[in-house]
Amino acid sequence: MASRARVRAPELIGRGGWLNTGGTDLTLTDLRGRIVILDFWTFCCVNCLHVLDELRELEEKHRDTVVIVGVHSPKFVHEAEHQAVVDAVERYEVHHPVLDDPELTTWKQYAVRAWPTLVVIDPEGYVVAQHAGEGHAHALETLVAQLEAEHAAKGTLRRGDGPYVPPEPVPTELRFPGKALLLPGGTFLVSDTTRHQLVELAADGESVVRRIGAGERGLTDGTSERARFSEPQGLAMLPDGTVAVADTVNHALRRFDPATGEVTTLAGTGRQWWQGSPTEGPAREVDLSSPWDVAWFADRLWIAMAGVHQLWTYDPEAGTVRAAAGTTNEGLVDGPAEEAWFAQPSGLAAAGDRLWIADSETSAVRYVERDGKGFTVRTAVGTGLFDFGHRDGAADQALLQHPLGVTALPDGSVAISDTYNHALRRFDPATGEVSTLATDLREPSGAVLADGDIVVVESARHRLTRLRLPEEAVRVEAVAHRTQRAATDIAPGTLRLDVVFQAPEGQKLDTRYGPSTRLLVSSTPPELLAGGDGAGTDLSRELVLTEGVTEGVLHVSAMAASCDDDPMNEYPACHVHQQDWGVPVRITEGGADRLPLVLAGMDD
């Protein structure tokens, strides 16, 4: 960027206070002389977790000049609980200061519209760049190097140790376990997510039989002692008696052999899937994206591909993977599998002719079933991205809050690990009713049947909890919520939508094989837009608002690909930038007639 707008960065304010600072409150004045990168995130958001991983290398490389500050900005009610943020910071190994902003105070000051958003502040305290979504690590690296050189020459760069103070470690056998599997011998295999291991527990669910994995991040096959995982989650028994493991942050599918203790890689390259990458092919040659759970169904291993809002399948006989359901668009749309929309599917359970799905970001339970020669997706509980709560009763009125797990019960019903409600719920397809089986669980993320009981993975209590399946469901007071974000006032008639994208320094849009940008627009309710919805390649568009509709949500998905601008390089490095926005709007006289959404750069 040859010239950058000089906008003074607003102060960092959050009622929840600071984490990872040893009890010290930070101000931007304290950070003057350092390059500050604000990471606006929320822990339900898989894209935010991707960005945490993208930032790790930058954080380590520029530790003496760059301070990354996480600004936790909740979507769900549970995410506004301070202890939940404390847990998430440990769970995802966030090694920088975090401001807990439950009322979105700093989010509003910086006019942020999407999770995740990165804001760069120079050593003199001015905002110099903003990036929404994923894929900006290369652009940030370029900008940081430029700022280091510029401010070193001016004498305004201050090097030294950052303000990060690690919390004291807590000794427990498990640390934020994800999923569990009952092995044929009656023991439990548990994904010990934060410790990057699998743990086999005795039939009591407490005594450690063995640990699988070295306990450090990595993608390494071999013996139980040598193998490495990175935040493993889902587990499923394969027909040959081995266990498939969703190795989430490695973007890989692994296999664990309980008989030999050996770990091998079944699918994935270790790289994250991006738009334009292959969606089928030899399993070890196709990129995956945050596989969260796995289940054997219809002669295939199905994969909840949370990172791209799809379901994929793995065929062990052919050694191939393919996208089986979902378009990569985030939302709740039923229909033929290839046309359906999901939102971070995070739990799977096969039962007869149905594959049940915990679709976490829509707070929904959905299922896949055969339909002639193909598959169809249907919704049992849930209405969309913005409605959630704890309400029992008829499925079309019932509410969940970010469920991460589903478990098929013997009577044909489904137990739901209703994670952010700290509850175990039940959906009965025969009656269409949702009930509550148990409360006072701490972030349940999965459950497994054992000897007539249900054993719940209490992730934030770091344990397995055995419960009797009650004949009578527990009743709780109904609570309903909508995502609390201030609506943008827009004028009736025509709205100019501009997705702002400025290629990073030394790059240009890649147009060698056609358009390098993509824009997809839809709305809730669909009647909000009379024109301008659908897909296209221009990042600007005129939207026509329907007369008489007074509020709704605009869903905008944008992608841009940029490549190194070096005419002498026959094979320039290319980078994909992408983000989805859900923008609540209110139509009112005097409202804005232009809606800018920053993908990368600054809206001048």
Side-chain angles (χ1 to χ4, degrees):
M1 298 177 184
S3 61
R4 295 187 295 272
R6 300 284 286 178
V7 178
R8 176 65 73 177
E11 192 50 82
L12 306 177
I13 302 169
R15 182 172 56 80
W18 288 89
L19 305 176
N20 284 353
T21 63
T24 301
D25 290 346
L26 297 181
T27 67
L28 285 178
T29 301
D30 299 328
L31 302 175
R32 196 62 49 81
R34 311 296 290 275
I35 301 164
V36 178
I37 300 176
L38 303 182
D39 176 16
F40 289 87
W41 69 299
T42 189
F43 62 79
C44 73
C45 162
V46 71
N47 309 94
C48 299
L49 304 185
H50 291 167
V51 168
L52 284 175
D53 293 317
E54 288 179 2
L55 292 174
R56 294 186 199 280
E57 184 177 347
L58 179 77
E59 190 169 27
E60 183 60 35
K61 182 177 179 180
H62 298 275
R63 190 167 292 280
D64 65 333
T65 59
V66 172
V67 175
I68 295 175
V69 174
V71 182
H72 189 269
S73 313
K75 171 186 175 182
F76 289 97
V77 170
H78 170 59
E79 293 173 309
E81 298 175 15
H82 181 69
Q83 185 57 47
V85 181
V86 173
D87 289 343
V89 167
E90 180 190 350
R91 180 195 298 267
Y92 298 115
E93 297 185 310
V94 180
H95 292 167
H96 51 249
V98 173
L99 176 65
D100 181 10
D101 183 19
E103 296 167 343
L104 303 182
T105 303
T106 297
W107 165 287
K108 295 171 186 174
Q109 287 290 320
Y110 281 83
V112 175
R113 294 184 183 274
W115 297 278
T117 291
L118 299 168
V119 175
V120 182
I121 302 170
D122 72 12
E124 295 179 287
Y126 291 93
V127 175
V128 293
Q130 181 171 322
H131 302 273
E134 304 177 51
H136 302 294
H138 181 268
L140 288 174
E141 174 65 45
T142 301
L143 179 57
V144 164
Q146 182 180 338
L147 290 172
E148 284 178 339
E150 176 184 329
H151 288 273
K154 291 175 65 175
T156 50
L157 183 68
R158 177 169 57 87
R159 296 179 179 271
D161 294 333
Y164 169 66
V165 178
E168 289 292 325
V170 181
T172 54
E173 296 290 5
L174 302 173
R175 206 68 193 162
F176 297 104
K179 307 286 185 181
L181 176 69
L182 183 67
L183 294 176
T187 59
F188 296 94
L189 188 65
V190 183
S191 53
D192 197 14
T193 304
T194 298
R195 293 207 177 114
H196 315 297
Q197 291 180 317
L198 308 181
V199 178
E200 185 178 355
L201 299 178
D204 62 8
E206 298 178 8
S207 307
V208 174
V209 176
R210 59 175 165 170
R211 295 183 180 276
I212 300 96
E216 297 179 355
R217 287 186 189 272
L219 180 53
T220 305
D221 290 341
T223 63
S224 293
E225 297 76 20
R226 182 175 181 272
R228 291 191 178 192
F229 301 93
S230 188
E231 298 184 27
Q233 288 281 350
L235 307 166
M237 191 69 70
L238 294 171
D240 64 2
T242 63
V243 177
V245 182
D247 196 5
T248 305
V249 177
N250 274 327
H251 309 295
L253 194 65
R254 314 290 292 283
R255 186 202 327 248
F256 166 62
D257 188 339
T260 65
E262 288 286 317
V263 175
T264 53
T265 299
L266 293 175
T269 62
R271 298 184 301 270
Q272 182 183 342
W273 186 94
W274 289 100
Q275 290 287 349
S277 300
T279 55
E280 61 180 316
R284 292 292 302 273
E285 298 175 16
V286 177
D287 299 339
L288 308 181
S289 182
S290 295
W292 210 276
D293 203 7
V294 282
W296 187 261
F297 173 70
D299 301 318
R300 297 287 188 275
L301 186 74
W302 288 65
I303 309 164
M305 205 73 77
V308 286
H309 317 300
Q310 289 182 306
L311 304 181
W312 287 40
T313 58
Y314 166 71
D315 181 346
E317 290 192 13
T320 56
V321 292
R322 63 179 294 270
T327 64
T328 77
N329 295 319
E330 184 178 19
L332 194 154
V333 176
D334 291 340
E338 63 275 8
E339 299 174 11
W341 291 23
F342 296 95
Q344 288 180 215
S346 302
L348 299 175
D353 59 356
R354 288 183 177 179
L355 177 69
W356 293 98
I357 306 152
D359 203 28
S360 63
E361 278 292 287
T362 53
S363 297
V365 170
R366 308 173 71 185
Y367 59 91
V368 171
E369 62 181 0
R370 288 189 184 276
D371 183 13
K373 295 182 179 180
F375 293 94
T376 298
V377 176
R378 306 186 195 280
T379 297
V381 186
T383 58
L385 285 165
F386 302 100
D387 292 293
F388 59 93
H390 192 153
R391 185 164 65 199
D392 288 338
D396 60 353
Q397 299 294 317
L399 294 172
L400 310 169
Q401 186 179 179
H402 198 80
L404 290 178
V406 281
T407 306
L409 298 179
D411 65 354
S413 64
V414 182
I416 307 161
S417 294
D418 193 6
T419 309
Y420 287 3
N421 278 327
H422 309 301
L424 188 68
R425 312 284 294 281
R426 174 178 176 266
F427 168 66
D428 185 353
T431 64
E433 292 284 314
V434 174
S435 57
T436 298
L437 297 176
T439 56
D440 193 31
L441 300 168
R442 188 68 186 171
E443 292 192 13
S445 56
V448 61
L449 294 175
D451 300 325
D453 295 335
I454 189 163
V455 178
V456 180
V457 181
E458 268 199 280
S459 188
R461 283 199 178 114
H462 320 292
R463 70 187 189 191
L464 302 187
T465 299
R466 184 181 290 262
L467 301 172
R468 292 286 180 186
L469 285 173
E471 295 181 8
E472 296 288 334
V474 178
R475 288 286 173 180
V476 298
E477 184 179 352
V479 179
H481 299 288
R482 282 187 66 84
T483 299
Q484 295 302 308
R485 280 185 290 163
T488 298
D489 288 333
I490 58 175
T494 300
L495 177 69
R496 174 75 175 183
L497 172 66
D498 288 323
V499 174
V500 178
F501 178 76
Q502 298 164 359
E505 186 83 11
Q507 294 184 32
K508 64 178 181 179
L509 288 175
D510 178 21
T511 56
R512 292 172 298 164
Y513 307 108
S516 61
T517 56
R518 186 188 72 165
L519 181 64
L520 177 68
V521 179
S522 61
S523 65
T524 303
E527 300 77 35
L528 175 65
L529 290 178
D533 56 337
T537 58
D538 194 336
L539 292 181
S540 294
R541 187 181 300 183
E542 298 286 340
L543 305 181
V544 181
L545 303 166
T546 301
E547 186 176 354
V549 179
T550 59
E551 64 178 4
V553 178
L554 291 175
H555 305 286
V556 181
S557 178
M559 184 196 76
S562 60
C563 294
D564 291 346
D565 187 10
D566 182 357
M568 302 303 293
N569 186 353
E570 185 178 357
Y571 303 103
C574 297
H575 309 272
V576 177
H577 315 260
Q578 62 185 51
Q579 174 61 16
D580 298 328
W581 291 268
V583 183
V585 295
R586 181 171 51 236
I587 293 83
T588 179
E589 294 293 341
D593 60 5
R594 175 177 177 264
L595 177 64
L597 299 176
V598 177
L599 179 60
M602 298 285 287
D603 180 32
D604 300 327

